Amino acid sequence: MGHENITEFILLGLFSDEDEKVACFVVFSLCYIAILSGNLFILHTIRGSRLREQPMYFFLSYLSFMDVCFTSTVAPKLITDLLAQRKTISYNSCIAQMFYAHFFGATEIFILVAMAFDRYAAICRPLHYMVIMKRQVCYVLVMASVLGAFIHSVLQVLIIIELPFCGPNQIDHYFCDVFPLLKLACTDTSLLVIVIISTTGVLSILTFVALVISYIIILSTLRTRSSEGCHKALSTCGSHITVVFMFFLPLIFTYVPTADSINNDKVFALFYTMIAPMFNPLVYTLRNTDMKNAMRKMWCRDTRFEGK
């Protein structure tokens, strides 16, 4: 099998209108700068403060790092292509982009699950929390997330590299992903579409449902707590729930396609590749007292050093 005579693909991108392209170039460039600066600022704050000792912020630092990596597999190409005359990508680069997008995206999903587990342990098992969430356990959860994501991504690549591509090479998307590539294969891929929906799609739905159930359990436990502790925990869980919804809902619409979502898959993908990673730092900083205090301390310390 293999890719036969196709050596490169043409990405059709988001828009065909030239005026829209220039406007989007400016908007997406600003979004990408916001994603990089916001997430790197969170990383800098956590690594440079006492927060790094807490499991929740240990996971949050990895989530921010994954956001940067995930968006960086897609955004630079999307932004430069908006002004390019020919939006081509080589076959190998296309496969690599698909692998990394799935790898960093799936790692992010598993880290969100680890964060939900951490909040469950903190709120529902407070007396055993330090034993349950030892640093070794945190490292194991991160390594399991990376390994799970790696296996998932390799499977996506194995599906695509076995397909023959001999006809049209125009990908109706702004980055290489499984469904747009399946449409171009010179063979019947209906069975593969079902396989991907029943793996990636169902995995997304099950993870989302599990996360929502875990937060319902957490929130019902909080109802019996003191108002101050309850308010702090609610604010933390609120941040997590917001991120989960922003990331998972577009993902589910993409990988469990309906008649409408097939046409809107580029719009849905924009949500989880650009918009959610941009809002994550805001969600985790604006709603989080510990982060705000740590940022204030670091900011004051940095300005003091500069003053000297």
Side-chain angles (χ1 to χ4, degrees):
M1 282 275 176
H3 57 97
E4 299 193 0
N5 58 356
I6 295 269
T7 56
E8 65 175 20
F9 293 104
I10 296 166
L11 292 163
L12 295 182
L14 276 168
F15 309 105
S16 51
D17 187 288
E18 291 304 316
D19 295 336
E20 282 177 351
K21 283 180 185 175
V22 175
C24 284
F25 174 80
V26 175
V27 171
F28 292 149
S29 297
L30 291 172
C31 286
Y32 187 48
I33 291 165
I35 289 164
L36 291 181
S37 50
N39 283 296
L40 292 172
F41 187 58
I42 282 188
L43 268 171
H44 179 60
T45 304
I46 294 171
R47 294 287 157 93
S49 71
R50 300 287 303 273
L51 289 179
R52 67 180 182 276
E53 295 162 15
Q54 298 180 34
M56 186 177 96
Y57 296 102
F58 171 83
F59 291 128
L60 179 56
S61 65
Y62 278 98
L63 187 72
S64 291
F65 179 61
M66 286 304 144
D67 264 341
V68 169
C69 296
F70 180 48
T71 306
S72 296
T73 61
V74 175
K77 178 85 178 131
L78 163 65
I79 292 162
T80 52
D81 277 354
L82 284 165
L83 299 185
Q85 287 302 309
R86 283 193 84 236
K87 298 180 271 290
T88 57
I89 185 168
S90 72
Y91 177 86
N92 290 342
S93 298
C94 184
I95 297 298
Q97 188 186 47
M98 187 184 77
F99 172 82
Y100 286 118
H102 276 267
F103 175 66
F104 294 125
T107 307
E108 210 167 312
I109 287 172
F110 294 134
I111 287 173
L112 284 168
V113 174
M115 289 173 86
F117 177 67
D118 168 68
R119 288 301 81 206
Y120 171 79
I123 291 160
C124 302
R125 298 280 182 273
L127 299 177
H128 304 108
Y129 178 64
M130 295 317 292
V131 178
I132 295 170
M133 297 307 293
K134 286 186 300 197
R135 188 42 58 106
Q136 295 96 311
V137 173
C138 295
Y139 279 121
V140 166
L141 287 171
V142 169
M143 289 310 296
S145 301
V146 170
L147 183 63
F150 179 77
I151 293 166
H152 161 78
S153 309
V154 166
L155 290 174
Q156 307 297 312
V157 169
L158 289 175
I159 286 171
I160 295 300
I161 60 171
E162 286 299 310
L163 294 174
F165 293 100
C166 50
N169 65 337
Q170 293 187 328
I171 298 175
D172 187 17
H173 214 300
Y174 60 89
F175 73 99
C176 291
D177 202 2
V178 181
F179 283 141
L181 283 168
L182 285 178
K183 287 179 192 170
L184 299 182
C186 312
T187 184
D188 180 30
T189 58
S190 51
L191 191 64
L192 289 174
V193 169
I194 294 165
V195 168
I196 289 164
I197 292 171
S198 57
T199 52
T200 308
V202 172
L203 180 73
S204 305
I205 291 173
L206 290 177
T207 313
F208 177 67
V209 169
L211 287 170
V212 170
I213 290 169
S214 72
Y215 282 116
I216 290 169
I217 293 166
I218 289 166
L219 294 174
S220 61
T221 307
L222 283 174
R223 287 168 53 201
T224 60
R225 299 289 162 86
S226 67
S227 57
E228 189 188 337
C230 180
H231 178 72
K232 188 178 174 183
L234 266 175
S235 126
T236 307
C237 287
S239 306
H240 291 203
I241 293 164
T242 308
V243 169
V244 163
F245 271 86
M246 280 170 60
F247 191 80
F248 273 92
L249 289 182
L251 197 67
I252 289 167
F253 280 119
T254 303
Y255 287 101
V256 187
T258 59
D260 294 334
S261 74
I262 287 286
N263 303 322
N264 297 320
D265 58 351
K266 288 188 278 192
V267 179
F268 291 129
L270 203 58
F271 266 92
Y272 62 81
T273 56
M274 293 286 282
I275 295 167
M278 185 172 66
F279 278 101
N280 282 4
L282 291 173
V283 167
Y284 281 111
T285 49
L286 295 179
R287 297 190 54 130
N288 193 310
T289 318
D290 290 339
M291 276 296 287
K292 281 191 275 197
N293 290 340
M295 280 156 54
R296 211 173 285 124
K297 276 181 194 165
M298 283 199 71
W299 190 254
C300 294
R301 192 177 70 203
D302 291 347
T303 48
R304 269 206 308 277
F305 282 132
E306 282 167 20
K308 287 178 184 177

